[in-house]
Each structure stands twice: as C-alpha cells, then as structure tokens.
Amino acid sequence: MKALEERFAPPNQNELYRVQLRERRQKAAETLSELGQDIRRLTNLAYPTAPQDLRETLAKEQFLDALVSSDMRLRIKQARPVDLNDAVRHAVELEAFNRAERKHNEGQGYMRTTSEKASGTKPCLEEDLKALRQTVSELTRSMESLKQQKPSTRSFASDSNANLSKQNKRKCFKCGSEEHLIYNCPKNQKTASETSEDKNHQAKSVAGISSGLYAECKISNYETECLIDTGATLSIISCKAWDTINQSGSVLQPFNSVVYTASGGEVDIKGKTPVSVEVCGIQCIIDMIVADIDIDVILGLDFLKTHNCQIDVNKQTLKLRNKTCNLKLTGKLGCYRVTVSKTIEVPPRSELIV
C-alpha cells in the first residue's frame, strides 16, 4: 500500500491539485460527463480532509465556472442544483435540447403556393426564353465573323502579343541581363574567403544567445536560474534539469509540433509535462516542453501572460502576483560581429543599453 501511494498518490501534492482545479476549463472535444468526472477527481485530491458536502459544493461551483457557454451556465444556476451530479444532469439535458432545436431549425423548409392566372408566370417564362434565344443567335453570328477574319489582322494580333511578351520578359536586377536572374548572376557569387568569413560571423553572433535577464527559481529541491525570454512562445525545461527532478519516473506527454530556435535550427523535443516552479517565492504550475537545450529553464510568453507578469528592464525587476523580485542581467555584446549589408565592428567595451 505504501508503494502504491507513493506511485499514484504522492503526498504534499494538494496545492498542485488545487491549482489544476482552479484552472480547469472544458476542452473542445470533451463531453460534460467527462468534465464532471475530472472535476470530482481533482476536488477529492485537492481537499482530501474536507467534509463531503463541502467537496460537493466546491466541485459544483468549479463545474459551472468550467463551462464554455454562458447561457448554459446561467440556466443551470437558475435550476439551483444540489450537488455536482445534479449540475451535470441539468447541463446534459440543456445540451441535448439545444442540439435538437438547432437540427429542427436547420431542417425546417419554407413553401409558398402560386397561381399562374394570378401571378402571370407563363408569359414571363416565354419572354425569358425569347430573350435567351436572341442572345444565343447573336453570339453565334459573332463567332462566325471571327472565323472569317482576314489572316493579316490575325497576324498583327499575334505580332503585338509577341512584342508584349518580349517587353514583359524578366531581367536580372543586378546586371540587367535577360539570360539569367539575380540568384544566378555572376556578380552575386561570393568567393570562398567571403563565405568562410560570413560563417565565422554567424558563429560569433550565436555565442551571445545565453545572454539575457535571469531570475532565481526552484523546481522541487533543484535550485537554478531561469531565463525570462519574451521572444519564446512556450516555456522549456532542459533534459538535464528534468532528469534531475524526475525521481519518480513520470512519463512525458507527447508533443507533436516542431519548435525552432531563433537561428532557424530545430529543437530536439522529448515531450510535455506540467512542472511546479517556484519563482520569486511563489509556486506556479507551468506546462513545459522537455527539450535538449543548454539553459536549464526558459520562461516564455505563455508563463508571462498566464500569471500577468510585468518586467521592468531599466530596474531589472519582475513583478509576479503583486510581488517584485530582482533579475540578473547576464551577457554583453563584447566584440561580436553581425553581418547586415556589410561587416560592422562593435567596440570591445560597448555594452547592451535597453
């Protein structure tokens, strides 16, 4: 029993389940019964010592907040459900009624009776047919006149089209030649020394990727520094840090999307998992991607937007849930060279000014 509890119901996880319960919302392809069962499970895990009637009330309120339709939420509240099962029953009934009403409105047709004598439909049809026949005869005569056109006229038209196509022929923007385009232009080709120099510039510019604003964070008993990256869409944890904190052998969720770095390289992704991270002394639950990166933790826009973070770059501070903590600015420009249209030498003592 002790081994099973450590594997499937680890202790000291009540706060984690409470956060998951508060953030639980109905998914796109999720039924109302599945939503109710999951909310009951999270409620029992988040409040194991609470009385049964209190857990039912909490589960019922969270189920109403998790619904997508505001109209359904108001109707269920007007029904005054007693517990979670009663609320789920009302929601399923309302969903069935709404689906049947939509099908009824979509399949309902409209008919209108007419009379030939009253509306005069027959004369109108005869006039339309007469006008259609006249149009067809006019088109036939115009086609015959085009076939009998003189050869000189047709040759003139072909010559004009040839001159027009010659004028619209594409040219090289580099040297103006019509034999090739700009990507095949001999003047656009670089020598071997210039190509190797460009590669050295790119390698030197990549060396400053780890520079940025860092905050102290704690994952389980693993203390490290996380990069606050507003240019990253998702939050990422390195494989090294995940192997350090994953002592229970949790299985990662699949992640099928492709993630690229700022330089265009593809990141090797192992999976996705929720991670409890302590930033500025505040515990946060984040859905992170486990990837093969050099930095331990990268907090991206999903974390900053979810927790309403405010970054003051001038003061080097991060405000999280009305609590402010200091950030550490790491990295300087040094003597890196960046190629734009020509090589620019940055002085060795110049620093990054934000």
Side-chain angles (χ1 to χ4, degrees):
M1 291 177 59
K2 184 177 180 180
L4 290 174
E5 288 179 354
E6 290 179 354
R7 174 64 181 85
F8 296 102
N12 302 327
Q13 297 290 327
N14 296 339
E15 185 65 26
L16 173 63
Y17 294 126
R18 290 172 187 173
V19 173
Q20 292 180 358
L21 179 63
R22 286 195 298 267
E23 296 181 354
R24 187 66 169 85
R25 294 295 182 270
Q26 185 181 4
K27 300 178 182 178
E30 187 179 27
T31 62
L32 296 173
S33 301
E34 293 175 352
L35 177 63
Q37 292 176 4
D38 192 40
I39 287 180
R40 183 181 296 278
R41 180 184 65 84
L42 291 175
T43 305
N44 294 332
L45 292 173
Y47 305 97
T49 59
Q52 182 64 26
D53 54 350
L54 178 59
R55 281 187 288 179
E56 287 291 335
T57 303
L58 291 174
K60 179 186 65 175
E61 295 295 331
Q62 185 58 38
F63 175 77
L64 293 176
D65 293 338
L67 294 176
V68 178
S69 176
S70 59
D71 183 64
M72 181 180 293
R73 190 184 303 114
L74 293 176
R75 289 179 180 272
I76 295 174
K77 287 183 179 180
Q78 290 177 352
R80 301 184 184 277
V82 180
D83 52 5
L84 178 61
N85 291 333
D86 196 12
V88 172
R89 181 177 60 83
H90 283 292
V92 172
E93 289 179 355
L94 286 173
E95 186 181 29
F97 293 155
N98 291 333
R99 189 183 299 112
E101 189 67 21
R102 286 195 299 269
K103 288 184 178 180
H104 177 71
N105 293 335
E106 291 175 358
Q108 188 175 7
Y110 300 92
M111 291 190 306
R112 183 180 63 182
T113 59
T114 59
S115 175
E116 291 185 2
K117 295 181 180 180
S119 59
T121 307
K122 191 172 182 180
C124 293
L125 288 175
E126 291 180 354
E127 292 178 359
D128 293 340
L129 289 174
K130 185 178 179 181
L132 183 60
R133 290 192 188 98
Q134 185 178 358
T135 305
V136 171
S137 61
E138 292 177 357
L139 289 174
T140 305
R141 287 194 298 269
S142 62
M143 288 295 295
E144 291 178 353
S145 62
L146 288 174
K147 290 179 180 180
Q148 296 175 359
Q149 191 176 13
K150 294 182 180 180
S152 59
T153 309
R154 285 189 288 181
S155 62
F156 174 77
S158 61
D159 293 340
S160 61
N161 293 332
N163 294 331
L164 183 61
S165 62
K166 187 175 181 180
Q167 293 177 0
N168 294 334
K169 189 175 182 179
R170 295 184 296 176
K171 298 181 180 180
C172 176
F173 291 102
K174 193 77 174 180
C175 61
S177 176
E178 297 181 355
E179 298 179 356
H180 59 266
L181 297 180
I182 187 171
Y183 57 84
N184 291 328
C185 184
K187 296 184 179 180
N188 200 28
Q189 296 179 359
K190 296 183 179 179
T191 62
S193 59
E194 292 176 347
T195 306
S196 61
E197 187 179 357
D198 291 343
K199 291 183 179 178
N200 294 332
H201 294 171
Q202 294 176 1
K204 291 181 180 180
S205 63
V206 173
I209 288 178
S210 58
S211 304
L213 293 173
Y214 286 81
E216 296 181 357
C217 67
K218 184 177 181 182
I219 308 174
S220 297
N221 295 325
Y222 181 72
E223 296 183 357
T224 183
E225 292 181 349
C226 58
L227 174 63
I228 308 298
D229 191 0
T230 57
T233 308
L234 303 175
S235 299
I236 307 176
I237 183 172
S238 65
C239 298
K240 178 182 176 182
W242 173 248
D243 295 336
T244 304
I245 66 174
N246 187 22
Q247 301 296 335
S248 60
S250 300
V251 181
L252 297 176
Q253 301 175 3
F255 188 81
N256 299 325
S257 300
V258 181
V259 178
Y260 296 94
T261 61
S263 59
E266 186 174 347
V267 181
D268 186 12
I269 300 175
K270 306 300 180 182
K272 182 180 180 181
T273 182
V275 180
S276 178
V277 182
E278 181 179 349
V279 183
C280 301
I282 299 176
Q283 200 76 18
C284 305
I285 306 298
I286 313 171
D287 287 333
M288 284 192 171
I289 297 174
V290 181
D292 188 9
I293 58 176
D294 296 331
I295 305 174
D296 287 341
V297 179
I298 297 177
L299 299 181
L301 288 176
D302 54 344
F303 169 80
L304 300 176
K305 184 177 180 180
T306 303
H307 299 280
N308 195 16
C309 299
Q310 298 179 5
I311 302 175
D312 192 337
V313 182
N314 189 21
K315 297 181 181 179
Q316 298 182 18
T317 57
L318 172 66
K319 187 175 181 182
L320 175 63
R321 297 182 185 174
N322 297 327
K323 185 175 180 180
T324 304
C325 62
N326 295 325
L327 301 177
K328 182 171 69 174
L329 179 62
T330 304
K332 298 181 180 180
L333 288 180
C335 58
Y336 301 133
R337 294 184 296 180
V338 181
T339 302
V340 184
S341 60
K342 60 180 180 178
T343 304
I344 302 173
E345 294 286 346
V346 182
R349 296 185 177 180
S350 64
E351 298 183 357
L352 178 63
I353 302 176
V354 181

